[in-house]
Amino acid sequence: MLTAFAYVLVPMPYLFFADADLQGGWVDASKFLTGAAAIGTVAVPAVLYAAHKITTGALYMEILAVVLMGGSLVAYDQLSEESSAGGF
């Protein structure tokens, strides 16, 4: 469930508020909320692993999911900047 939460809810602040028409404070806040939520999705499995509630494989799978999600957000950010600058 944590992976589903990460893929669905973590990018929402960035997708809703990281628009070029908004003021700089909203863009920074959306990036902060997205980053804090992404760190939380790594921290919770790390704590569960330290408490011996999940296995090593589950920890690695969750970390891989967060890395993939982060990579997709970075790619989205780069592509949206290029398209707004006339790159495509």
Side-chain angles (χ1 to χ4, degrees), residues 24-64:
W26 285 105
V27 174
D28 293 339
S30 68
K31 288 181 181 181
F32 173 77
L33 289 173
T34 302
I39 294 298
T41 58
V42 173
V44 170
V47 168
L48 290 174
Y49 177 73
H52 302 291
K53 299 294 181 187
I54 62 173
T55 63
T56 306
L59 176 67
Y60 290 153
M61 189 169 43
E62 181 62 33
I63 291 173
L64 178 65

CSV table of all heavy atoms in Angstrom, one decimal, residues 24-64:
chain,number,residue,atom,x,y,z
A,24,GLY,N,6.3,32.3,-7.3
A,24,GLY,CA,7.4,31.4,-7.0
A,24,GLY,C,7.3,30.7,-5.7
A,24,GLY,O,7.8,29.6,-5.5
A,25,GLY,N,6.6,31.3,-4.7
A,25,GLY,CA,6.4,30.6,-3.4
A,25,GLY,C,5.6,29.3,-3.5
A,25,GLY,O,5.9,28.4,-2.9
A,26,TRP,N,4.5,29.3,-4.4
A,26,TRP,CA,3.7,28.1,-4.6
A,26,TRP,C,4.5,27.0,-5.2
A,26,TRP,O,4.4,25.8,-4.9
A,26,TRP,CB,2.5,28.4,-5.4
A,26,TRP,CG,1.5,29.2,-4.6
A,26,TRP,CD1,1.1,30.5,-4.7
A,26,TRP,CD2,0.6,28.6,-3.6
A,26,TRP,NE1,0.2,30.8,-3.8
A,26,TRP,CE2,-0.2,29.7,-3.1
A,26,TRP,CE3,0.4,27.4,-3.1
A,26,TRP,CZ2,-1.1,29.5,-2.2
A,26,TRP,CZ3,-0.5,27.2,-2.1
A,26,TRP,CH2,-1.3,28.2,-1.6
A,27,VAL,N,5.4,27.4,-6.2
A,27,VAL,CA,6.2,26.4,-6.9
A,27,VAL,C,7.2,25.7,-5.9
A,27,VAL,O,7.3,24.5,-5.8
A,27,VAL,CB,6.9,27.0,-8.1
A,27,VAL,CG1,7.9,26.0,-8.7
A,27,VAL,CG2,5.9,27.5,-9.1
A,28,ASP,N,7.8,26.6,-5.1
A,28,ASP,CA,8.8,26.1,-4.1
A,28,ASP,C,8.1,25.2,-3.0
A,28,ASP,O,8.6,24.2,-2.6
A,28,ASP,CB,9.5,27.2,-3.4
A,28,ASP,CG,10.4,28.0,-4.3
A,28,ASP,OD1,10.8,27.4,-5.4
A,28,ASP,OD2,10.7,29.2,-4.0
A,29,ALA,N,6.9,25.6,-2.6
A,29,ALA,CA,6.1,24.9,-1.6
A,29,ALA,C,5.7,23.5,-2.2
A,29,ALA,O,5.8,22.5,-1.5
A,29,ALA,CB,4.9,25.6,-1.2
A,30,SER,N,5.3,23.5,-3.4
A,30,SER,CA,4.9,22.2,-4.0
A,30,SER,C,6.1,21.2,-4.2
A,30,SER,O,6.0,20.0,-3.9
A,30,SER,CB,4.3,22.4,-5.4
A,30,SER,OG,5.2,22.9,-6.3
A,31,LYS,N,7.3,21.8,-4.5
A,31,LYS,CA,8.5,21.0,-4.6
A,31,LYS,C,8.9,20.5,-3.2
A,31,LYS,O,9.3,19.3,-3.0
A,31,LYS,CB,9.6,21.7,-5.2
A,31,LYS,CG,9.5,21.9,-6.7
A,31,LYS,CD,10.6,22.7,-7.3
A,31,LYS,CE,10.4,22.9,-8.8
A,31,LYS,NZ,11.5,23.6,-9.4
A,32,PHE,N,8.7,21.3,-2.2
A,32,PHE,CA,9.0,20.9,-0.8
A,32,PHE,C,8.1,19.8,-0.3
A,32,PHE,O,8.6,18.8,0.2
A,32,PHE,CB,9.0,22.1,0.2
A,32,PHE,CG,9.1,21.7,1.6
A,32,PHE,CD1,10.4,21.4,2.1
A,32,PHE,CD2,8.0,21.6,2.4
A,32,PHE,CE1,10.5,21.0,3.4
A,32,PHE,CE2,8.1,21.2,3.7
A,32,PHE,CZ,9.4,20.9,4.2
A,33,LEU,N,6.8,19.9,-0.6
A,33,LEU,CA,5.8,18.9,-0.1
A,33,LEU,C,6.1,17.6,-0.9
A,33,LEU,O,6.0,16.5,-0.3
A,33,LEU,CB,4.4,19.4,-0.4
A,33,LEU,CG,3.9,20.5,0.6
A,33,LEU,CD1,2.6,21.0,0.1
A,33,LEU,CD2,3.9,20.0,2.0
A,34,THR,N,6.4,17.7,-2.1
A,34,THR,CA,6.7,16.4,-2.9
A,34,THR,C,7.9,15.8,-2.4
A,34,THR,O,7.9,14.5,-2.2
A,34,THR,CB,6.8,16.8,-4.4
A,34,THR,OG1,5.6,17.4,-4.8
A,34,THR,CG2,7.1,15.5,-5.2
A,35,GLY,N,9.0,16.5,-2.1
A,35,GLY,CA,10.2,15.9,-1.6
A,35,GLY,C,10.0,15.4,-0.2
A,35,GLY,O,10.5,14.3,0.1
A,36,ALA,N,9.3,16.1,0.7
A,36,ALA,CA,9.1,15.6,2.0
A,36,ALA,C,8.3,14.3,2.0
A,36,ALA,O,8.5,13.3,2.8
A,36,ALA,CB,8.3,16.6,2.9
A,37,ALA,N,7.3,14.2,1.1
A,37,ALA,CA,6.5,13.0,1.0
A,37,ALA,C,7.3,11.8,0.5
A,37,ALA,O,7.2,10.7,0.9
A,37,ALA,CB,5.2,13.2,0.2
A,38,ALA,N,8.2,12.1,-0.5
A,38,ALA,CA,9.0,11.1,-1.0
A,38,ALA,C,10.0,10.6,0.0
A,38,ALA,O,10.3,9.4,0.1
A,38,ALA,CB,9.8,11.6,-2.3
A,39,ILE,N,10.6,11.5,0.8
A,39,ILE,CA,11.5,11.0,1.9
A,39,ILE,C,10.7,10.2,2.9
A,39,ILE,O,11.2,9.2,3.4
A,39,ILE,CB,12.1,12.2,2.6
A,39,ILE,CG1,13.1,13.0,1.6
A,39,ILE,CG2,12.9,11.9,3.8
A,39,ILE,CD1,14.2,12.1,1.1
A,40,GLY,N,9.5,10.6,3.2
A,40,GLY,CA,8.7,9.8,4.1
A,40,GLY,C,8.4,8.4,3.6
A,40,GLY,O,8.3,7.4,4.4
A,41,THR,N,8.3,8.2,2.3
A,41,THR,CA,8.0,6.9,1.7
A,41,THR,C,9.3,6.0,1.8
A,41,THR,O,9.2,4.8,1.7
A,41,THR,CB,7.5,6.9,0.3
A,41,THR,OG1,8.5,7.6,-0.5
A,41,THR,CG2,6.2,7.6,0.2
A,42,VAL,N,10.4,6.6,2.0
A,42,VAL,CA,11.6,5.8,2.2
A,42,VAL,C,11.8,5.6,3.7
A,42,VAL,O,12.3,4.5,4.2
A,42,VAL,CB,12.9,6.5,1.6
A,42,VAL,CG1,14.2,5.8,2.0
A,42,VAL,CG2,12.8,6.6,0.1
A,43,ALA,N,11.5,6.6,4.5
A,43,ALA,CA,11.7,6.5,6.0
A,43,ALA,C,10.8,5.4,6.7
A,43,ALA,O,11.3,4.7,7.5
A,43,ALA,CB,11.5,7.9,6.6
A,44,VAL,N,9.6,5.4,6.2
A,44,VAL,CA,8.7,4.4,6.9
A,44,VAL,C,9.2,3.0,6.7
A,44,VAL,O,9.3,2.2,7.6
A,44,VAL,CB,7.2,4.6,6.4
A,44,VAL,CG1,6.3,3.5,6.9
A,44,VAL,CG2,6.7,5.9,6.9
A,45,PRO,N,9.5,2.5,5.5
A,45,PRO,CA,10.0,1.2,5.3
A,45,PRO,C,11.4,0.9,6.0
A,45,PRO,O,11.6,-0.1,6.5
A,45,PRO,CB,10.2,1.0,3.8
A,45,PRO,CG,9.4,2.0,3.2
A,45,PRO,CD,9.3,3.1,4.1
A,46,ALA,N,12.2,2.0,6.1
A,46,ALA,CA,13.5,1.9,6.8
A,46,ALA,C,13.2,1.6,8.3
A,46,ALA,O,13.9,0.8,8.9
A,46,ALA,CB,14.3,3.1,6.6
A,47,VAL,N,12.3,2.3,8.9
A,47,VAL,CA,11.9,2.1,10.3
A,47,VAL,C,11.3,0.7,10.5
A,47,VAL,O,11.6,0.0,11.5
A,47,VAL,CB,11.0,3.2,10.8
A,47,VAL,CG1,10.4,2.9,12.1
A,47,VAL,CG2,11.7,4.5,10.8
A,48,LEU,N,10.4,0.3,9.6
A,48,LEU,CA,9.8,-1.1,9.7
A,48,LEU,C,10.9,-2.1,9.5
A,48,LEU,O,10.8,-3.2,10.2
A,48,LEU,CB,8.8,-1.2,8.6
A,48,LEU,CG,7.5,-0.4,8.8
A,48,LEU,CD1,6.6,-0.6,7.6
A,48,LEU,CD2,6.8,-0.8,10.1
A,49,TYR,N,11.9,-1.9,8.7
A,49,TYR,CA,13.0,-2.9,8.5
A,49,TYR,C,13.8,-2.9,9.8
A,49,TYR,O,14.2,-4.0,10.2
A,49,TYR,CB,13.8,-2.5,7.3
A,49,TYR,CG,15.0,-3.5,7.1
A,49,TYR,CD1,14.8,-4.8,6.7
A,49,TYR,CD2,16.3,-3.0,7.4
A,49,TYR,CE1,15.9,-5.6,6.5
A,49,TYR,CE2,17.4,-3.9,7.2
A,49,TYR,CZ,17.2,-5.2,6.8
A,49,TYR,OH,18.2,-6.0,6.7
A,50,ALA,N,14.1,-1.8,10.4
A,50,ALA,CA,14.9,-1.7,11.6
A,50,ALA,C,14.2,-2.4,12.7
A,50,ALA,O,14.8,-3.0,13.6
A,50,ALA,CB,15.2,-0.3,12.0
A,51,ALA,N,12.8,-2.4,12.7
A,51,ALA,CA,12.1,-3.0,13.8
A,51,ALA,C,11.8,-4.5,13.4
A,51,ALA,O,11.1,-5.2,14.2
A,51,ALA,CB,10.7,-2.3,14.0
A,52,HIS,N,12.4,-5.0,12.3
A,52,HIS,CA,12.2,-6.4,11.9
A,52,HIS,C,10.8,-6.8,11.6
A,52,HIS,O,10.3,-7.9,11.9
A,52,HIS,CB,12.8,-7.4,12.9
A,52,HIS,CG,14.3,-7.1,13.2
A,52,HIS,ND1,15.2,-7.3,12.3
A,52,HIS,CD2,14.9,-6.6,14.3
A,52,HIS,CE1,16.4,-7.0,12.8
A,52,HIS,NE2,16.2,-6.5,14.0
A,53,LYS,N,10.0,-5.8,11.0
A,53,LYS,CA,8.7,-6.1,10.6
A,53,LYS,C,8.5,-6.4,9.1
A,53,LYS,O,7.5,-7.0,8.7
A,53,LYS,CB,7.8,-4.9,10.9
A,53,LYS,CG,7.7,-4.5,12.4
A,53,LYS,CD,7.0,-5.6,13.2
A,53,LYS,CE,7.0,-5.2,14.6
A,53,LYS,NZ,6.5,-6.3,15.5
A,54,ILE,N,9.5,-6.0,8.3
A,54,ILE,CA,9.5,-6.4,6.9
A,54,ILE,C,10.9,-6.9,6.6
A,54,ILE,O,11.9,-6.8,7.3
A,54,ILE,CB,9.2,-5.1,6.0
A,54,ILE,CG1,10.3,-4.0,6.1
A,54,ILE,CG2,7.8,-4.6,6.2
A,54,ILE,CD1,10.1,-2.9,5.2
A,55,THR,N,11.0,-7.6,5.4
A,55,THR,CA,12.2,-8.3,5.0
A,55,THR,C,13.1,-7.3,4.2
A,55,THR,O,12.6,-6.2,3.8
A,55,THR,CB,11.9,-9.5,4.2
A,55,THR,OG1,11.2,-9.1,3.0
A,55,THR,CG2,11.0,-10.5,5.0
A,56,THR,N,14.3,-7.7,3.9
A,56,THR,CA,15.2,-6.9,3.1
A,56,THR,C,14.7,-6.7,1.7
A,56,THR,O,14.8,-5.6,1.2
A,56,THR,CB,16.6,-7.6,3.1
A,56,THR,OG1,17.0,-7.9,4.4
A,56,THR,CG2,17.6,-6.8,2.4
A,57,GLY,N,14.1,-7.7,1.1
A,57,GLY,CA,13.5,-7.6,-0.2
A,57,GLY,C,12.4,-6.6,-0.3
A,57,GLY,O,12.4,-5.8,-1.3
A,58,ALA,N,11.6,-6.5,0.7
A,58,ALA,CA,10.5,-5.5,0.7
A,58,ALA,C,11.1,-4.1,0.8
A,58,ALA,O,10.6,-3.2,0.2
A,58,ALA,CB,9.6,-5.8,1.9
A,59,LEU,N,12.1,-3.9,1.6
A,59,LEU,CA,12.8,-2.6,1.7
A,59,LEU,C,13.4,-2.2,0.4
A,59,LEU,O,13.2,-1.1,0.0
A,59,LEU,CB,13.9,-2.7,2.8
A,59,LEU,CG,14.7,-1.4,3.0
A,59,LEU,CD1,13.8,-0.3,3.5
A,59,LEU,CD2,15.9,-1.7,3.9
A,60,TYR,N,14.1,-3.1,-0.2
A,60,TYR,CA,14.7,-2.8,-1.5
A,60,TYR,C,13.7,-2.5,-2.6
A,60,TYR,O,13.9,-1.6,-3.4
A,60,TYR,CB,15.6,-3.9,-2.0
A,60,TYR,CG,16.9,-4.1,-1.2
A,60,TYR,CD1,17.5,-5.3,-1.1
A,60,TYR,CD2,17.5,-3.0,-0.5
A,60,TYR,CE1,18.7,-5.4,-0.4
A,60,TYR,CE2,18.6,-3.1,0.2
A,60,TYR,CZ,19.2,-4.4,0.3
A,60,TYR,OH,20.4,-4.5,1.0
A,61,MET,N,12.6,-3.2,-2.6
A,61,MET,CA,11.5,-3.0,-3.6
A,61,MET,C,10.9,-1.6,-3.3
A,61,MET,O,10.6,-0.9,-4.3
A,61,MET,CB,10.4,-4.1,-3.4
A,61,MET,CG,9.4,-4.0,-4.5
A,61,MET,SD,8.3,-5.5,-4.6
A,61,MET,CE,7.9,-5.8,-2.9
A,62,GLU,N,10.7,-1.2,-2.1
A,62,GLU,CA,10.1,0.1,-1.8
A,62,GLU,C,11.1,1.2,-2.3
A,62,GLU,O,10.7,2.2,-2.8
A,62,GLU,CB,9.8,0.3,-0.4
A,62,GLU,CG,9.2,1.6,0.0
A,62,GLU,CD,7.9,1.9,-0.7
A,62,GLU,OE1,7.1,0.9,-1.0
A,62,GLU,OE2,7.6,3.1,-1.0
A,63,ILE,N,12.4,1.0,-2.0
A,63,ILE,CA,13.4,2.0,-2.4
A,63,ILE,C,13.5,2.2,-3.9
A,63,ILE,O,13.6,3.3,-4.4
A,63,ILE,CB,14.8,1.7,-1.7
A,63,ILE,CG1,14.7,2.0,-0.2
A,63,ILE,CG2,15.9,2.6,-2.3
A,63,ILE,CD1,15.9,1.5,0.6
A,64,LEU,N,13.4,1.0,-4.6
A,64,LEU,CA,13.4,1.1,-6.0
A,64,LEU,C,12.2,1.8,-6.6
A,64,LEU,O,12.3,2.6,-7.5
A,64,LEU,CB,13.5,-0.4,-6.6
A,64,LEU,CG,13.5,-0.5,-8.1
A,64,LEU,CD1,14.7,0.2,-8.7
A,64,LEU,CD2,13.3,-1.9,-8.5
